[in-house]
Amino acid sequence: MSESRTGQFALAFFILGSLFIIIAFVSPHWLVNDGKLKDPKFKKLGLWEVCFDGFGDVHHWYDTVFTGCWWIFEEEYYIIHDLLLPGFFIATQFFFTITMCCVLISMFLSYLYMKKDRDDDKYLTLLVTLGTVLVIGGFSGLISVITFGARGDGRDWMPYWEHNELGWAYALGVIGVVLLFPAGILFLVEARVQKYKRLHEMQSREPSSYTMHERKVGYSGGHTDI
């Protein structure tokens, strides 16, 4: 393994953050009922799954009643899509999906980073790419969790809003997104350190080669004069 101390800290932040983000991405616990209501129609919701218990059409156009946990894009949900998928929630899904994609790309890049030799010409490019992808994922995730945090438990979305609260999966998502920033920044710092190390090595080599060249020229000139 070729990583430095800075790289090790960056990897630690990344591994922990990516674990939290993956759990949050698949978990249906972004918004949950607080359990204080005797007969809650809404139970819990994640980015891709929602759980109801006897929830009916809010428009009263159909007699359909939803019970159990279903994929949020299930065909049967078309009659309440305007409730399930408001603009802010679609934005939450979109930006958190970008974050998830950045995490998956970074997993591959971090594997290459652990295998790559520091003297490799592509080492600096790899560090910069990895750091940049993580920072982009962090900003995208930040937009997602802020959007959901501001509107998720509002009175104009899920029923019995006063008994709904942000769940533990949302908290993990927030922590995971925050951890992407130090991971990405540390990789960029490591890239800068390695860049200056290489420049210093190049500068230290150039005078010695120049001196050797001068000695050869001087010796050759002296021999000619004699």
Side-chain angles (χ1 to χ4, degrees), residues 15-30 46-48 96 100 103 168-170 172-173:
I15 291 171
L16 193 59
S18 61
L19 178 63
F20 288 167
I21 286 172
I22 292 171
I23 293 174
F25 188 77
V26 300
S27 173
H29 290 87
W30 278 56
L47 292 180
W48 315 110
F96 207 82
M100 186 64 189
V103 166
W168 58 263
Y170 171 77
L172 287 185

Side-chain angles (χ1 to χ4, degrees), residues 82-99:
D82 56 336
L83 171 72
L84 279 181
L85 298 170
F88 83 88
F89 188 59
I90 294 175
T92 300
Q93 292 173 317
F94 174 75
F95 284 108
F96 207 82
T97 300
I98 292 178
T99 300

Side-chain angles (χ1 to χ4, degrees), residues 131-173:
T132 303
V133 170
L134 286 174
V135 171
I136 291 173
F139 275 115
S140 180
L142 197 61
I143 294 172
S144 176
V145 296
I146 288 176
T147 301
F148 190 83
R151 299 289 304 278
D153 59 348
R155 65 177 64 198
D156 56 346
W157 194 26
M158 285 296 157
Y160 306 108
W161 61 270
E162 66 274 13
H163 291 283
N164 298 333
E165 58 188 17
L166 300 176
W168 58 263
Y170 171 77
L172 287 185

Side-chain angles (χ1 to χ4, degrees), residues 39-217:
D39 185 24
K41 304 297 182 183
F42 165 75
K43 298 178 69 176
K44 58 185 177 180
L45 170 140
L47 292 180
W48 315 110
E49 185 180 1
V50 61
C51 299
F52 291 120
D53 187 10
F55 181 74
D57 174 24
V58 292
H59 305 297
H60 304 291
W61 295 339
Y62 304 91
D63 295 330
T64 305
V65 175
F66 301 102
T67 300
C69 297
W70 296 51
W71 185 45
I72 207 165
F73 295 108
E74 193 69 38
E75 186 178 353
E76 285 78 359
Y77 278 150
Y78 78 94
I79 61 176
I80 55 171
H81 265 184
D82 56 336
L83 171 72
L84 279 181
L85 298 170
F88 83 88
F89 188 59
I90 294 175
T92 300
Q93 292 173 317
F94 174 75
F95 284 108
F96 207 82
T97 300
I98 292 178
T99 300
M100 186 64 189
C101 291
C102 289
V103 166
L104 295 176
I105 294 171
S106 299
M107 285 180 177
F108 174 70
L109 294 176
S110 61
Y111 172 78
L112 295 180
Y113 164 71
M114 289 188 290
K115 296 295 182 182
K116 187 76 70 175
D117 189 354
R118 292 189 196 183
D119 296 327
D120 194 300
D121 293 336
K122 297 180 180 179
Y123 185 69
L124 287 178
T125 304
L126 178 62
L127 284 173
V128 172
T129 304
L130 180 53
T132 303
V133 170
L134 286 174
V135 171
I136 291 173
F139 275 115
S140 180
L142 197 61
I143 294 172
S144 176
V145 296
I146 288 176
T147 301
F148 190 83
R151 299 289 304 278
D153 59 348
R155 65 177 64 198
D156 56 346
W157 194 26
M158 285 296 157
Y160 306 108
W161 61 270
E162 66 274 13
H163 291 283
N164 298 333
E165 58 188 17
L166 300 176
W168 58 263
Y170 171 77
L172 287 185
V174 173
I175 297 171
V177 165
V178 171
L179 289 175
L180 292 187
F181 286 103
I185 291 171
L186 285 174
F187 277 122
L188 294 175
V189 169
E190 177 67 5
R192 187 177 180 86
V193 169
Q194 293 299 323
K195 177 182 177 180
Y196 279 109
K197 279 185 178 180
R198 291 191 180 187
L199 289 175
H200 179 71
E201 289 174 359
M202 291 173 61
Q203 290 172 356
S204 61
R205 288 173 191 167
E206 287 175 1
S208 59
S209 5
Y210 181 70
T211 304
M212 290 293 295
H213 177 69
E214 280 186 330
R215 287 179 181 174
K216 289 180 181 179
V217 172

